[in-house]
Amino acid sequence: MIRSELVQKIASENSDLRLDEVERIVDTFFDSIVDQLASGGRVELRGFGAFSTRSRESRTGRNPRTGAAVDVKAKNVPYFKPGKEMRERLNG
């Protein structure tokens, strides 16, 4: 499912909301998650899962095309851990 499909699904299930209102809600939801992660926080949605960040240290990588060594800087990457209910629905 892509973002536009999510917006359409929410709009179809909530006929009292206009499409632009649903888009604004979805944007606000995702922006809030990104803002929280960018500030070093964590977002937990009970039954769904938890979003957090993990640190990756700097390292030497390889350019796959040329094989040349490339320095890769340290960075934070997003991480998602599914909740118990999601794992049970996927594997049950």
Side-chain angles (χ1 to χ4, degrees):
M1 175 179 280
I2 60 175
R3 182 188 166 281
S4 60
E5 292 171 337
L6 176 63
V7 169
Q8 287 293 328
K9 182 164 178 65
I10 293 171
S12 69
E13 292 179 4
N14 296 280
S15 59
D16 55 320
L17 295 174
R18 294 189 323 266
L19 190 61
D20 64 315
E21 292 174 324
V22 174
E23 286 179 2
R24 196 174 27 200
I25 291 167
V26 170
D27 287 342
T28 301
F29 177 76
F30 288 130
D31 288 344
S32 298
I33 291 174
V34 172
D35 291 345
Q36 184 67 21
L37 294 177
S39 67
R42 180 173 188 265
V43 177
E44 182 176 334
L45 304 171
R46 301 248 182 224
F48 183 73
F51 297 92
S52 61
T53 57
R54 295 216 170 154
S55 298
R56 297 246 173 106
E57 296 187 14
S58 60
R59 61 184 173 84
T60 302
R62 296 255 174 237
N63 180 328
R65 186 174 292 169
T66 64
V70 177
D71 288 330
V72 179
K73 295 180 181 180
K75 59 186 167 185
N76 291 322
V77 295
Y79 175 74
F80 176 74
K81 181 179 179 185
K84 181 180 177 184
E85 287 180 39
M86 180 185 286
R87 285 192 312 270
E88 288 174 353
R89 285 184 65 183
L90 292 174
N91 297 308

